[in-house]
Amino acid sequence: MFKKGTKLYSILTGCCPKCHQESMYTFKNPYNLGNTLKINERCSKCNTKYRLEPSFFYGAMYISYGVGIAFAVAAFVISNLIFKTNLNSSFIVIVATLVVFMPIIMRISRNIWINLFIHYDQSQSKK
Ligand SMILES: [Zn+2]
């Protein structure tokens, strides 16, 4: 399921959506705050341009809304159903989760966004 060549692989690892050979991000660690969203201009392996057009990644904001909801629901289910917290504590847990995972949420949304437009190309990955 997480194998190279699947969209999920590119989305979860943040690697080039075309060849899956290297990370799109200049810094691998998303918690390198300030550089979380720093993205390379092109893939050095297959020369794919990541920014298809100016402000291409604005669209990722729509995705990050959905991804944020997914994290919030997961946080709520875990705190409320497993740890039996009341609604107020669950709310705090949700907010804390969203803050802590913000860099990851932003990256995942960008990865999903770019994977909607650029598809895996096996011939590129063999070079
Ligand atoms: Zn590439």
Side-chain angles (χ1 to χ4, degrees):
M1 188 161 139
F2 290 172
K3 271 196 299 205
K4 253 186 193 188
T6 61
K7 284 208 177 293
L8 205 58
Y9 178 85
S10 172
I11 288 169
L12 292 179
T13 60
C15 63
C16 167
K18 188 147 213 169
C19 68
H20 292 190
Q21 291 205 47
E22 66 164 34
S23 175
M24 292 191 290
Y25 297 96
T26 315
F27 299 94
K28 247 193 141 61
N29 180 4
Y31 287 95
N32 187 342
L33 298 175
N35 293 316
T36 301
L37 297 177
K38 199 163 268 178
I39 238 167
N40 295 326
E41 185 65 28
R42 283 173 184 278
C43 174
S44 69
K45 300 279 195 308
C46 68
N47 206 30
T48 296
K49 197 174 179 218
Y50 295 136
R51 240 172 257 275
L52 297 183
E53 54 193 34
S55 61
F56 170 65
F57 283 109
Y58 273 100
M61 285 193 302
Y62 303 111
I63 311 273
S64 77
Y65 182 72
V67 176
I69 300 278
F71 272 80
V73 169
F76 176 76
V77 168
I78 291 170
S79 67
N80 196 264
L81 299 185
I82 298 178
F83 294 103
K84 312 276 182 216
T85 52
N86 60 33
L87 276 184
N88 279 338
S89 322
S90 296
F91 180 72
I92 293 168
V93 169
I94 288 172
V95 171
T97 304
L98 287 181
V99 170
V100 168
F101 285 101
M102 192 41 93
I104 292 178
I105 293 172
M106 288 195 297
R107 278 202 174 182
I108 286 183
S109 1
R110 287 193 161 205
N111 299 345
I112 293 175
W113 183 248
I114 197 167
N115 267 285
L116 293 177
F117 296 95
I118 302 179
H119 304 284
Y120 181 62
D121 184 346
Q122 203 161 22
S123 62
Q124 293 289 348
S125 73
K126 291 212 170 107
K127 274 183 198 163

